[in-house]
Amino acid sequence: MSASLVQKFLIQLGQVIDMQAAAALLAWDQEVYMPPKGAQARGEQLATLSAMAHRLFTGDEMGALIASLQEQKDSLDDDMACLLRETAYDYERARKLPESFVQRFAQEQSKAYEAWVKARECSEYALFAPHLETLLSLSQEKAEYLGYEDSPYDALLEDYERGTTTAQLKTLFSTLAERQRVLVSRITASSNQPDLKWLDQEWDEGKQWDLSLQMLRDMGFDFEAGRQDRAVHPFTTNFDRRDVRVTTRTHPRELFSCLSSSIHEGGHALYEQGFLEKDRRTLLAQAPSLGIHESQSRMWENMIGRSLPFWKHYTPQLQMAFGDSLRDVTPEQIYHAINYVQPSLIRVEADECTYNLHIMVRFEIEVALVEGDLTVADVPAAWNEKIKSYLGLTVPDDAQGCLQDIHWAHGCLGYFPTYALGNLYAAQLFEQLEADLPEVWMNVAQGDFSAILNWLRPRVHELGRRQSASEIVESATGKAPDAEAYLRYLERKYTALYALG
């Protein structure tokens, strides 16, 4: 094996990833700091960088490097063999997309984001609809370029949850919906409802912010390799394992919104800071699927951040921050309040028992749009009808309805199912973690999360794309991924909380 051939391959791949990181930085800035009048220029800049990265990655030179390495693959070490496999996979998919298409898509994404922000502010879907129409058309065009056997949605889903099909998700979601609806009905009928009156007050946003930073530090987030900022819709992005950014949002009437968002995004960030140093500027420093990525955020936010031991540790800090407002509130009251189950309109504020129902609404609408069974103009009506069907709620306006999420403004059709899959992966992984670490809850009650992070690092984070999502879960737990661990988790936790018997 020629060392110079490997080196040349790594250099060119690193240059592609550098360009993608530069584009990601511009996109981050657009959502965090960019002045509104910069939108047009930012769209042009993102389009140019996206096209350049695509050109460098899909060019004949990269193809020749991949082909030459494949001819000598028997002499590659395991890491290089994995990297070559993943690069060849991405290369073949990327080659199907014309550079002009990639450039148009990036520019339209930028325009759509700005339109979405304005539309959401005034709850006017009509301001965003033309941009969604364009992105839908581009997504359908993308599906045709990529190819599919059954549904065009499969081609889009492959970008986010490789190897998963629309048909598989329909079967899975049908089972989840039935069992979660039954659990929600039992909970809402219970007489053991939490006292929430103490939450009905103003909460200093600066103190929320300070506490969220402390929680991130305690979790193990490295502020020398990352930062937290504010955004309309919380998200995490990374430009390198040494530069991982999280965002959150505060609200004076919502004590736990900021804290939960920071813990959630912190879970994503710990994953990205946990990639191996030797994998920097390669495709191995990535998650194999967004479901696996989401498993890390949902695990930290819900299984850890909504646990009683967690709040036994943080209640004194909460009381110190907010003084008289929380003087007589116990960890048990906080635990019950933060796990209050009630169908709600906003996905990111949804409780664990109803969260997946929000995902099913979005999944069904996306599939109908991509397959041509629903028009963009009819999205609000379809949304409102499905929210009524799944959650029993009436949507008062578009801001609390179909405009609440940022994903369609990013052109991310096919993304939403990964949230539900992340819940399933998280539960299965955490069930094994609890078995392996019997002292875990004692540690959490003391504010020590190091054992959790040390368990996750070699089993999930450091693997990067060496294994698929299914392989990661099965390697860590001894079982292929399924929904049972998640359903067991919900039943056990909420049966106890609501005294369901």
Side-chain angles (χ1 to χ4, degrees):
M1 169 59 64
S2 168
S4 62
L5 182 63
V6 171
Q7 189 64 20
K8 191 172 183 180
F9 168 71
L10 291 173
I11 289 172
Q12 184 147 336
L13 184 58
Q15 290 172 343
V16 172
I17 288 172
D18 289 343
M19 288 186 188
Q20 292 171 339
L25 179 58
L26 289 177
W28 171 86
D29 176 72
Q30 183 174 21
E31 294 189 37
V32 178
Y33 288 124
M34 189 193 78
K37 289 185 179 179
Q40 181 178 347
R42 184 55 45 86
E44 293 162 351
Q45 293 155 4
L46 286 168
T48 297
L49 273 176
S50 297
M52 289 173 63
H54 183 78
R55 185 185 314 146
L56 183 60
F57 185 57
T58 60
D60 292 340
E61 186 176 359
M62 178 61 86
L65 287 168
I66 291 172
S68 296
L69 287 170
Q70 286 175 326
E71 289 174 0
Q72 305 175 53
K73 63 182 179 181
D74 291 342
S75 62
L76 298 176
D77 63 30
D78 289 345
D79 283 349
M80 184 54 66
C82 286
L83 177 58
L84 178 61
R85 179 196 68 213
E86 294 304 296
T87 304
Y89 170 82
D90 283 5
Y91 174 80
E92 291 303 324
R93 277 181 70 80
R95 286 271 290 185
K96 296 176 181 179
L97 302 177
E99 181 183 320
S100 59
F101 172 83
V102 172
Q103 192 164 11
R104 275 190 298 135
F105 204 106
Q107 195 153 16
E108 292 301 332
Q109 285 173 306
S110 182
K111 291 178 185 176
Y113 169 73
E114 296 301 326
W116 171 78
V117 171
K118 293 175 184 175
R120 187 172 177 269
E121 283 176 354
C122 59
S123 193
E124 286 289 341
Y125 176 74
L127 297 177
F128 177 60
H131 298 274
L132 180 56
E133 189 81 62
T134 299
L135 288 174
L136 172 61
S137 177
L138 287 169
S139 296
Q140 291 168 324
E141 186 178 347
K142 180 180 179 180
E144 296 304 318
Y145 284 132
L146 294 174
Y148 53 89
E149 291 185 7
D150 186 11
S151 168
Y153 192 77
D154 291 344
L156 306 178
L157 185 60
E158 182 76 1
D159 277 346
Y160 306 107
E161 202 65 29
R162 188 165 155 188
T164 302
T165 67
T166 309
Q168 290 171 337
L169 289 176
K170 286 180 178 179
T171 301
L172 172 64
F173 288 170
S174 175
T175 300
L176 282 174
E178 180 181 353
R179 292 178 65 175
Q180 289 191 236
R181 278 168 160 168
V182 169
L183 179 59
V184 171
S185 295
R186 292 170 62 207
I187 290 170
T188 54
S190 170
S191 59
N192 191 38
Q193 298 295 324
D195 170 22
L196 302 177
K197 292 191 291 294
W198 60 272
L199 274 172
D200 188 18
Q201 54 184 300
E202 296 277 329
W203 303 96
D204 183 278
E205 293 180 70
K207 292 175 180 177
Q208 292 179 43
W209 179 263
D210 291 342
L211 192 55
S212 75
L213 293 176
Q214 184 59 52
M215 288 179 172
L216 284 172
R217 288 189 190 95
D218 294 345
M219 289 165 61
F221 181 76
D222 181 1
F223 276 93
E224 292 295 309
R227 56 181 290 127
Q228 176 174 265
D229 292 276
R230 289 176 170 84
V232 175
H233 191 100
F235 69 99
T236 300
T237 191
N238 81 320
F239 318 120
D240 184 90
R241 69 180 297 273
R242 302 174 185 174
D243 186 358
V244 182
R245 315 285 179 94
V246 302
T247 65
T248 191
R249 62 189 179 198
T250 60
H251 191 286
R253 301 292 301 178
E254 300 288 342
L255 173 59
F256 296 119
S257 178
C258 168
L259 302 180
S260 292
S261 292
S262 290
I263 296 168
H264 177 101
E265 300 305 334
H268 281 304
L270 289 175
Y271 188 6
E272 295 184 340
Q273 289 184 341
F275 294 135
L276 292 174
E277 179 71 14
K278 66 180 181 179
D279 292 338
R280 289 183 58 245
R281 297 178 78 235
T282 79
L283 300 181
L284 293 184
Q286 294 177 358
S289 85
L290 287 185
I292 280 292
H293 218 313
E294 195 63 24
S295 76
Q296 302 307 286
S297 59
R298 301 297 287 174
M299 182 186 297
W300 281 98
E301 178 191 359
N302 294 327
M303 292 162 191
I304 302 165
R306 295 182 192 269
S307 69
L308 181 56
F310 184 91
W311 287 105
K312 283 184 175 179
H313 174 71
Y314 282 107
T315 296
Q317 296 185 42
L318 213 61
Q319 290 170 329
M320 187 178 299
F322 294 103
D324 290 344
S325 301
L326 288 169
R327 179 185 300 164
D328 300 321
V329 176
T330 67
E332 288 75 14
Q333 283 178 287
I334 292 175
Y335 173 57
H336 208 165
I338 203 169
N339 288 292
Y340 177 49
V341 174
Q342 183 183 56
S344 60
L345 293 167
I346 307 301
R347 174 186 64 85
V348 295
E349 309 294 348
D351 60 82
E352 291 180 277
C353 295
T354 60
Y355 184 90
N356 281 348
L357 302 178
H358 284 268
I359 299 308
M360 293 168 202
V361 168
R362 290 151 175 80
F363 168 68
E364 290 176 8
I365 288 174
E366 286 191 347
V367 172
L369 283 169
V370 172
E371 293 183 350
D373 296 326
L374 180 70
T375 68
V376 167
D378 290 332
V379 164
W383 181 287
N384 297 349
E385 189 243 329
K386 289 181 183 296
I387 290 293
K388 185 73 173 176
S389 173
Y390 274 108
L391 296 164
L393 300 175
T394 299
V395 180
D397 55 52
D398 291 336
Q400 297 178 79
C402 61
L403 288 175
Q404 67 181 265
D405 291 305
I406 198 172
H407 304 68
W408 292 344
H410 283 163
C412 294
L413 293 162
Y415 189 121
F416 277 117
T418 66
Y419 286 113
L421 293 171
N423 283 329
L424 307 191
Y425 298 154
Q428 193 163 331
L429 288 167
F430 200 75
E431 190 173 74
Q432 187 64 48
L433 183 151
E434 286 183 291
D436 292 346
L437 303 175
E439 73 285 0
V440 64
W441 290 120
M442 181 180 68
N443 293 341
V444 169
Q446 296 170 352
D448 181 359
F449 306 104
S450 58
I452 295 174
L453 191 56
N454 290 338
W455 190 92
L456 291 169
R457 285 291 194 230
R459 291 167 177 83
V460 181
H461 304 175
E462 293 172 0
L463 294 175
R465 280 176 64 173
R466 287 173 176 81
Q467 294 182 6
S468 69
S470 295
E471 289 169 341
I472 286 174
V473 174
E474 187 161 4
S475 294
T477 69
K479 295 178 289 187
D482 63 32
E484 293 309 310
Y486 181 64
L487 292 167
R488 278 195 299 272
Y489 160 75
L490 292 181
E491 286 283 348
R492 182 175 65 249
K493 178 177 181 177
Y494 290 92
T495 293
L497 261 171
Y498 284 87
L500 301 181

